[in-house]
Amino acid sequence: MSIYINEKTGAMQLIVYGEPFAQERPRFSTFSGHVHAYDPKRSRAYKEKICAEAVHLMYKAKELGYQVPFDCPLQFALYIYRSIPKSFSKKKTQLAREHKIYAHTKPDADNYIKCVLDGIAHGKSKILFTDDSRIVSIRAIKLYDDTPRIEAWLKPI
């Protein structure tokens, strides 16, 4: 895991190594006659991993004088690097390493986006931004790489 802040542009990068994980469907249970929705264990664990790195990024941003959490329009970019499947041919593996082919299989990019944004926001904690509505631009791309990870960029406009 690593963090980076470009002091010229204000862009912040958060890298979380390991196989990317997409948001799963919520689970439901009944307690005392009331239905409760909750995150599956794996989704919750991945969000907590992202949250821990987002907290480090927040403290670094505050040290550099940024007013965090941001309460302004933000651009969000997410690069999802999934493991190269072992079933790929040598030629296809090389194209994947060069990022010339996309990971166009499930899970969907929007499920990755949701999981990462939930991890950064961490409920009502407001780690890097005050509300999801501050995100006005989103870009996401799914690729293959030898080092599976997610790279999330957040930039005030």
Side-chain angles (χ1 to χ4, degrees):
M1 293 183 240
S2 63
I3 54 175
Y4 170 76
I5 299 176
N6 183 326
E7 294 184 48
K8 278 187 174 181
T9 64
M12 300 180 178
Q13 181 187 35
L14 173 71
I15 302 174
V16 180
Y17 293 97
E19 196 62 45
F21 194 79
Q23 175 69 39
E24 294 178 307
R25 295 200 181 277
R27 303 290 185 250
F28 298 92
S29 67
T30 305
F31 183 74
S32 298
H34 298 284
V35 177
H36 297 278
Y38 63 93
D39 257 348
K41 188 181 272 187
R42 292 184 344 188
S43 289
R44 189 170 55 245
Y46 194 68
K47 288 178 188 180
E48 287 170 2
K49 185 177 181 181
I50 292 169
C51 177
E53 287 306 302
V55 168
H56 291 298
L57 185 58
M58 177 190 70
Y59 285 124
K60 184 174 181 179
K62 284 185 176 184
E63 285 176 11
L64 294 173
Y66 290 94
Q67 295 296 319
V68 181
F70 291 114
D71 192 24
C72 61
L74 299 165
Q75 289 178 334
F76 178 74
L78 182 63
Y79 296 86
I80 304 141
Y81 296 98
R82 297 179 56 193
S83 296
I84 299 171
K86 299 199 185 312
S87 61
F88 276 11
S89 66
K90 286 183 180 182
K91 182 178 180 181
K92 201 169 180 182
T93 298
Q94 186 57 37
L95 290 172
R97 284 190 177 118
E98 295 169 0
H99 301 148
K100 292 184 178 176
I101 58 173
Y102 299 100
H104 57 83
T105 59
K106 290 189 179 246
D108 303 342
D110 61 328
N111 292 331
Y112 286 108
I113 292 168
K114 180 71 174 148
C115 192
V116 172
L117 285 177
D118 284 354
I120 291 172
H122 196 64
K124 305 221 182 299
S125 299
K126 298 174 178 54
I127 297 171
L128 293 176
F129 47 84
T130 56
D131 190 66
D132 287 351
S133 65
R134 299 295 177 215
I135 307 285
V136 298
S137 172
I138 293 178
R139 178 175 190 249
I141 190 166
K142 294 187 327 184
L143 299 164
Y144 293 111
D145 200 89
D146 288 321
T147 307
R149 67 194 181 278
I150 56 118
E151 295 180 7
W153 287 87
L154 194 64
K155 181 182 175 191
I157 299 176

